[in-house]
Amino acid sequence: MRFDVVTIFPAMFGHVFEHGVVGRGIERGIVQLRPHDLRDFTHDRHRQVDDMPFGGGPGMVIKPEPVFEAVESIRPHNPGPVVLMEPWGERLDQKLAAELAAEPGLIIVCGRYEGIDDRVRTGLASREISIGDYVLSGGEIPAMVLIDAVARLLPGIVGDPDSLAHDSFTEMAAGWPQFTRPADYRGLVVPDVLLSGDHARIKQWRRRQAAERSSVHTKELKKS
Ligand code: SAH
């Protein structure tokens, strides 16, 4: 799957995806990540990507022309939907990540300043995605969150596909508690059942624990 990212800070995408399972996916060619510098699609000497808002008000707005030109130059290489990262967009969750993982690619546009000229949304984008109800200074971190959530679902990325099936928000809202050695750490002991070797009991215990954690998650959702 190919991810093209349009940003004024392409270098931000360097280190983040050199590590972990997504990094390995890139090495193996399962994931292709291509950051594009929005400034490369300007035509003036100052490589200006922003301008003052029509109607007045504070801050600057990302101009439409470089974004349209960037996406048009990427399009022949990536048939996937154009996604705008926007705080008011559709909320990213595991279901949406799975839906996007079925696409051949994504073209992700990162905003900055007061946001992106709205004609990019109406004339270019297929969807707007938010990573949560808070405002960050730019779309780069949200784009990284989206890429990570989608890429780890691709076949061959996570070593054992069974681990995806038991993730939080897949079967249930929460995964079960995990323990590793030592069995007793400063008097904090691992539940006996996990040391019992009784796989049926372990399975039952894990399901019960996951259900309990899921109900905590559901209560938190209801409160908000
Ligand atoms: N004034 C705008 C916020 C602009 S923040 C507003 O109130 O909607 C600048 C950019 O950061 C946005 O264009 C978007 O690309 C990105 N961004 C900020 N918070 C985000 C979030 N929660 N999810 C996705 N993108 C976000």
Side-chain angles (χ1 to χ4, degrees), residues 8 28 31 112:
I8 58 168
R28 291 191 195 146
V31 177
R112 278 273 155 184

Side-chain angles (χ1 to χ4, degrees), residues 53-204:
F54 274 123
M60 300 294 268
V61 175
I62 301 257
K63 289 151 64 71
E65 310 97 301
V67 182
F68 272 79
E69 288 184 32
V71 170
E72 281 158 8
S73 85
I74 293 163
R75 180 49 86 208
H77 312 285
N78 189 336
V82 177
V83 173
L84 295 188
M85 302 314 300
E86 290 289 8
W88 47 265
E90 181 183 1
R91 178 82 68 87
L92 177 63
D93 61 12
Q94 196 63 21
K95 192 165 152 262
L96 178 54
E99 186 187 322
L100 295 174
E103 296 284 356
L106 295 178
I107 301 174
I108 303 172
V109 180
C110 304
R112 278 273 155 184
Y113 319 119
E114 291 300 316
I116 307 165
D117 186 291
D118 205 52
R119 287 166 290 184
V120 171
R121 178 181 66 82
T122 54
L124 196 60
S126 330
R127 61 206 303 171
E128 297 80 40
I129 295 178
S130 165
I131 63 161
D133 290 352
Y134 39 82
V135 179
L136 299 170
S137 53
E140 287 76 12
I141 292 172
M144 290 174 198
V145 170
L146 176 65
I147 293 167
D148 192 284
V150 172
R152 68 186 286 284
L153 298 177
L154 298 174
I157 297 278
V158 172
D160 180 350
D162 206 32
S163 77
L164 294 179
H166 300 302
D167 272 343
S168 299
F169 313 115
T170 304
E171 277 180 349
M172 284 192 243
W176 55 67
Q178 303 281 4
F179 297 91
T180 185
R181 282 179 288 190
D184 181 339
Y185 179 65
R186 299 188 177 185
L188 300 167
V189 294
V190 171
D192 280 338
V193 55
L194 296 178
L195 311 176
S196 69
D198 180 340
H199 293 293
R201 260 183 70 215
I202 292 173
K203 198 171 167 193
Q204 194 187 27

Side-chain angles (χ1 to χ4, degrees), residues 26 28 36 90 127 132 151 213 223:
I26 291 174
R28 291 191 195 146
H36 304 267
E90 181 183 1
R127 61 206 303 171
R213 282 185 168 183
K223 261 194 260 166

